[in-house]
Amino acid sequence: MRRLTAINSLLKRNNSLLQRHGFSQTVAQRTTSVCETETKIPKMPPFSYSPPPYDGPSTAEIIAKRREFLSPALFHFYNTPLNIVEGKRQYLFDENGRRYLDAFGGIATVSCGHSHPEVVNSVIKQLKLIQHSTTLYLNHSISDFAEALVSTLPGDLKVVFFTNSGTEANELAMMMARLYTGCNDIVSLRNSYHGNAAATMGATAQSNWKFNVVQSGVHHAINPDPYRGIFGSDGGKYASDVHDLIQFGTSGQVAGFIGESIQGVGGIVELAPGYLPAVYDIVRKAGGVCIADEVQSGFARTGTHFWGFQSHGVVPDIVTMAKGIGNGIPLGAVVTTTEIAGVLSSRNYFNTFGGNPMCTAAGHAVLRVINEEKLQENANLVGSHLKRRLTLLKNKHELIGDVRGRGLMLGVEFVKDRDLKTPAKTETLHLMDQMKEMGVLVGKGGFYGNVFRITPPLCFTLTDADFLVDVMDHAMSKM
C-alpha cells in the first residue's frame, strides 16, 4: 500500500514532466488512475438481508468457555477467530453484524445455502409431528427420502442405510465389504481422508489425522495426483501400483477399494484420468468391491454430475455420503446393492438415530431444492467461471502453483517455488487472514496446509466468484 501511495504521489508531481516529453494530459491522468484503482479494496456484492442486533456472549466469553469445557484438540481458523452468529444463503454474519462471503460452506456441507427456507420449514414441520421414534416403528419420512435418494444413483444401487456422519458411513461400508467378500484387506489411497474412527482412521492416509492405535488390514496405494504424483497424469501407471500392492501385499484377494472422487481434506486433488476405471477392474478381479466416498464430492457439487464418481465413468458397488446430504443437519448414508446389503441380515444391525424423521425430512428437502433451483447447473456454470478466473490469477502470481477441481469443489495450491513445489504454508495462512479482513472466508487443506479449499454453498453466483478472485488478487498483490 505504501509503495502504491508513493507511486501515485510521484505521478501527480510529475504530470507536467510527462507532458513535456510528449505524453498527453489524458495519458498521465490515466496512468495515475490505474494505480489509484489498484489500491481500492474490492466491494462485496449487495445483499438484501441485515441481521438483527446480536445479544449473545462475546467472542472472548466463548473462547474462555471452549478452553474450559471443550476438547483441547479443537482449533480455529484465523489469528482472531470469528464468532459466526447467523447465516443466509451464501453469506455469514459475525457478532457485529458484519457480512462475509462463505466460500467454504462449513467444509463442503452447506449445499443449498445457509438457513434455506425449504430445509428449515421441512425440519420444523417434522419436529411438530414427531422428532424421533425409531426404525422399529414405521414412519414415511425415511422411506420417502430413501426412494428419492436412490433415484439419483445408477445401476443396482438401490438399498440405503442411514447414518449420522461420513465417518460412520465409511465404517459401515468397509465392514460390509469385508463381510460380503470374506476378506479383510482393503486398498485405500495415500493422502486420503475417510474419517477418524477405528476402520476409517486406518483407511485415512495422512499422519496429521492418525493416532498411534491399531489400524490393520488397510494398504495405501500411491496417490494418483497429477500435480505432485510421481507419474504425473498417467492414470494407468498409478493403477499398476494397486495391482502390485494386491499381488505382493495381500493373499491376492481383497475386500475392496475405497476412494474419494476428488480428495477433499487432502487438498482438492483430482485423480489422474483413467485411474478409477482401471483400479475398479483390478479390484473386482481380486474379488473385492469398490466403495466411492462421496462425502464431499456428492450432491451436485462437482457441477457436471450429481455424483463425483460419474465423471470417471464408473459405477461403484457401495456409495457413502454425508455433509451436503442434509445442508448441515447431521446425516449420512450408505447405498449399495440388494446382494451386498443382505450381509447385515446374518446378525442384528441397528442405528438409533440413523434415518430419524427430522434428519430425513431435511435430506429430502435438500434434494428438492437442488432440483428446483437447478443448483447442479449453477455449480457447473459458476464453478467453471471461477476456475477460469483462478487460472488467470495463477498466470499473474508466482505463488500459485496449481488450480484444480470441478464445479464448486476447487483447490488453489500455493508454493514458494514452482519448480520445486515448496509448500507456502505461512503465505497461505497470511492470505486467508487478509481475505477474511476483506470479507471472504475460504478453507484450508492439503497435507502441507498450503491449499485453499473453495467449497461454497451451491447458490454461489458469478458475482460472488468475481468478488472472491478480486479479493484474492488484491491480497496477493500486497504481499
Side-chain angles (χ1 to χ4, degrees):
M1 180 66 73
R2 290 177 179 175
R3 181 171 61 86
L4 286 173
T5 301
I7 291 172
N8 287 335
S9 178
L10 181 63
L11 284 168
K12 290 174 181 178
R13 288 199 305 270
N14 289 284
N15 274 345
S16 59
L17 180 61
L18 287 168
Q19 292 173 43
R20 286 202 298 272
H21 284 273
F23 290 93
S24 68
Q25 178 70 18
T26 303
V27 172
Q29 289 174 337
R30 187 183 302 124
T31 307
T32 303
S33 176
V34 168
C35 289
E36 287 175 340
T37 300
E38 289 179 348
T39 68
K40 292 180 180 178
I41 295 176
K43 187 176 181 181
M44 183 176 287
F47 192 59
S48 59
Y49 177 79
S50 294
Y54 172 70
D55 59 0
S58 68
T59 297
E61 290 173 314
I62 294 172
I63 290 175
K65 285 187 178 182
R66 275 174 60 124
R67 288 173 178 168
E68 184 175 359
F69 302 115
L70 296 179
S71 167
L74 290 179
F75 58 92
H76 55 72
F77 281 162
Y78 308 116
N79 293 326
T80 303
L82 277 175
N83 178 16
I84 297 298
V85 301
E86 193 169 348
K88 291 289 183 184
R89 303 292 286 177
Q90 66 271 44
Y91 293 105
L92 295 170
F93 299 87
D94 68 12
E95 60 184 345
N96 299 313
R98 184 181 178 186
R99 178 163 56 101
Y100 298 86
L101 179 64
D102 181 11
F104 196 27
I107 318 179
T109 298
V110 181
S111 48
C112 304
H114 293 283
S115 303
H116 193 288
E118 175 71 15
V119 179
V120 171
N121 292 336
S122 295
V123 170
I124 292 174
K125 180 181 178 180
Q126 183 59 56
L127 283 173
K128 288 181 176 180
L129 294 172
I130 184 168
Q131 178 178 345
H132 177 77
S133 53
T134 166
T135 51
L136 297 174
Y137 306 132
L138 300 182
N139 186 284
H140 71 89
S141 181
I142 182 174
S143 52
D144 288 349
F145 180 40
E147 180 184 30
L149 186 59
V150 299
S151 71
T152 68
L153 288 153
D156 295 322
L157 294 164
K158 300 297 182 186
V159 182
V160 185
F161 294 86
F162 286 112
T163 66
N164 306 288
S165 69
T167 290
E168 192 179 327
N170 284 330
E171 286 278 328
L172 177 58
M174 292 172 67
M175 183 176 74
M176 291 172 72
R178 285 166 165 157
L179 290 172
Y180 178 72
T181 61
C183 293
N184 186 57
D185 292 303
I186 285 179
V187 178
S188 178
L189 291 175
R190 298 176 192 176
N191 197 56
S192 64
Y193 181 88
H194 297 290
N196 56 11
T200 49
M201 189 180 292
T204 293
Q206 295 185 56
S207 59
N208 307 333
W209 299 98
K210 293 168 77 74
F211 289 98
N212 188 22
V213 295
V214 175
Q215 300 167 43
S216 63
V218 180
H219 306 264
H220 300 106
I222 295 173
N223 194 34
D225 180 349
Y227 180 64
R228 288 189 175 271
I230 59 174
F231 301 127
S233 296
D234 193 331
K237 288 184 177 179
Y238 292 110
S240 295
D241 177 63
V242 174
H243 174 269
D244 292 346
L245 190 153
I246 292 173
Q247 293 301 310
F248 294 99
T250 75
S251 67
Q253 296 288 300
V254 296
F257 168 86
I258 183 169
E260 303 160 90
S261 304
I262 298 177
Q263 292 179 338
V265 174
I268 316 297
V269 176
E270 292 187 90
L271 309 186
Y275 178 77
L276 271 190
V279 166
Y280 273 30
D281 184 58
I282 290 167
V283 169
R284 283 167 174 158
K285 285 179 179 177
V289 299
C290 299
I291 304 169
D293 181 340
E294 292 286 326
V295 169
Q296 294 197 35
S297 57
F299 291 91
R301 180 158 293 282
T302 60
T304 53
H305 299 85
F306 197 86
W307 302 104
F309 65 78
Q310 291 173 310
S311 63
H312 295 273
V314 297
V315 177
D317 303 296
I318 303 175
V319 180
T320 62
M321 59 197 73
K323 292 190 181 290
I325 189 175
N327 202 51
I329 293 290
L331 178 63
V334 177
V335 184
T336 187
T337 65
T338 302
E339 185 178 3
I340 294 174
V343 299
L344 293 186
S345 300
S346 62
R347 296 289 188 277
N348 290 329
Y349 175 78
F350 181 76
N351 190 311
T352 299
F353 296 107
N356 70 81
M358 181 189 72
C359 291
T360 50
H364 203 169
V366 166
L367 290 183
R368 291 196 298 271
V369 172
I370 290 174
N371 180 56
E372 292 168 4
E373 298 186 5
K374 301 186 184 303
L375 294 184
Q376 181 178 326
E377 292 87 339
N378 188 69
N380 188 34
L381 173 68
V382 177
S384 298
H385 173 74
L386 179 53
K387 189 175 182 180
R388 282 193 298 270
R389 286 219 54 196
L390 289 169
T391 302
L392 290 174
L393 204 60
K394 175 189 171 186
N395 298 334
K396 180 178 179 181
H397 297 287
E398 285 289 319
L399 189 64
I400 299 178
D402 193 32
V403 174
R404 53 186 180 248
R406 284 175 174 265
L408 289 175
M409 188 172 183
L410 300 176
V412 180
E413 180 158 354
F414 299 101
V415 294
K416 296 178 181 179
D417 184 292
R418 284 189 176 180
D419 293 327
L420 298 176
K421 300 178 182 176
T422 310
K425 183 174 181 178
T426 302
E427 291 82 353
T428 304
L429 289 170
H430 175 76
L431 273 175
M432 281 185 68
D433 226 68
Q434 291 302 302
M435 290 177 66
K436 184 259 287 185
E437 293 303 315
M438 290 184 274
V440 176
L441 308 180
V442 295
K444 178 177 68 69
F447 181 76
Y448 304 104
N450 66 319
V451 180
F452 273 3
R453 294 166 66 187
I454 301 174
T455 55
L458 304 187
C459 55
F460 217 63
T461 68
L462 291 169
T463 305
D464 296 327
D466 285 334
F467 177 62
L468 185 156
V469 177
D470 290 345
V471 165
M472 189 184 298
D473 184 22
H474 184 84
M476 296 182 76
S477 297
K478 294 169 62 180
M479 292 180 70

